[in-house]
Amino acid sequence: MIRVQEEDFDLGAELKAMSAGKTSIGGLCSFVGLVRDMAGDAEIGAMTLEHYPGMTEKALEEIETEAHARWPLDATLIIHRYGRLEPGDQIVLVAAASAHREAAFEACHYLIDFLKTRAPFWKLEDTADGAKWVDARASDDAATARWAVKSGEE
Amino acid sequence: MKLLYFAWVRERVGGASEDIPRPDGVATVGDLVAWLAARGDGYAEAFEESSMVRAAVNQEHVDLSHPVADGDEVAFFPPVTGG
């Protein structure tokens, strides 16, 4: 399931709802991304997340479908927020549930890596020097590319 | 075709969307980038460093060689920074 929303989410309630009634699940792995108060040496007051309505949902659904094709998953969940966020706020939740922990851990990692390079979101940070668009990181591309190497080896 | 702009591409262009007929001679995303840059002002500024601009056609990531057709939704934006 995917959700793109302005409002915050309750991690415990989301994970509980995700596994409710699915007693085949033996492990559930989740990752929560938070707003940091620093970017490099610059202090961040807050940030605004812009996205591409329509394409965002499509991209997240594709990432989720791909994860289900690669691992035996009982459930997955992606929640991504947009709008104005303060340091400490939750931005994103990805979670994967499977009969065994390996698939849950790997799929969770896969979901966040692909989300970072495929989902159309852009961060505008408030700094002492004014609002600045966050630059994409080469390390994020490398993190995504790693999965292609892995599947080639299998 | 419907053109959409996001983040600093939107700011430089000075608008979030516009509808235009497909210009003569524009067959690919790369052609469209060149045509938009030639409009000058904010467009030139947005597309001057075209290696920094990413594109999507009908909400799928594409590269500059991807074809564009009448009625397509074409979006331009910086590399994504979600998560």
Side-chain angles (χ1 to χ4, degrees), chain A residues 13-28:
Chain A
E14 296 294 346
L15 298 187
K16 201 173 252 182
M18 187 180 159
S19 58
K22 295 177 185 161
T23 47
S24 59
I25 294 174
L28 199 171

Side-chain angles (χ1 to χ4, degrees), chain A residues 20-121:
Chain A
K22 295 177 185 161
T23 47
S24 59
I25 294 174
L28 199 171
C29 192
S30 67
F31 172 88
V32 177
L34 306 174
V35 180
R36 268 194 313 271
D37 63 356
M38 296 292 285
D41 295 332
E43 202 166 321
I44 306 301
M47 68 164 63
T48 305
L49 266 155
E50 179 173 335
H51 76 115
Y52 180 172
M55 181 171 171
T56 306
E57 290 80 359
K58 200 170 167 181
L60 294 178
E61 278 165 10
E62 284 169 6
I63 294 164
E64 188 176 49
T65 301
E66 189 60 31
H68 280 266
R70 292 179 72 137
W71 290 278
L73 303 172
D74 293 282
T76 49
L77 175 64
I78 305 175
I79 300 176
H80 204 302
R81 296 177 67 193
Y82 61 89
R84 188 175 169 80
L85 298 169
E86 306 280 338
D89 282 354
Q90 305 183 116
I91 306 179
V92 63
L93 163 64
V94 301
S98 183
H100 302 287
R101 70 182 182 284
E102 289 281 278
F105 269 116
E106 288 186 10
C108 184
H109 203 165
Y110 176 93
L111 289 172
I112 191 64
D113 280 356
F114 271 76
L115 181 153
K116 277 195 160 284
T117 53
R118 304 293 295 171
F121 286 94

Side-chain angles (χ1 to χ4, degrees), chain A residues 34-40 42-50 83 85 91 116 119-127 130-140, chain B residues 6-12 52 54 77-83:
Chain A
L34 306 174
V35 180
R36 268 194 313 271
D37 63 356
M38 296 292 285
E43 202 166 321
I44 306 301
M47 68 164 63
T48 305
L49 266 155
E50 179 173 335
L85 298 169
I91 306 179
K116 277 195 160 284
F121 286 94
W122 301 275
K123 291 181 180 133
L124 180 66
E125 291 177 340
D126 292 349
T127 72
K132 283 188 177 166
W133 291 102
V134 173
D135 287 328
R137 293 155 54 117
S139 58
D140 287 336
Chain B
F6 293 95
W8 56 252
V9 176
R10 170 178 53 74
E11 290 181 342
R12 291 179 191 178
M52 290 303 296
R54 299 289 178 268
F77 43 79
V80 301
T81 56

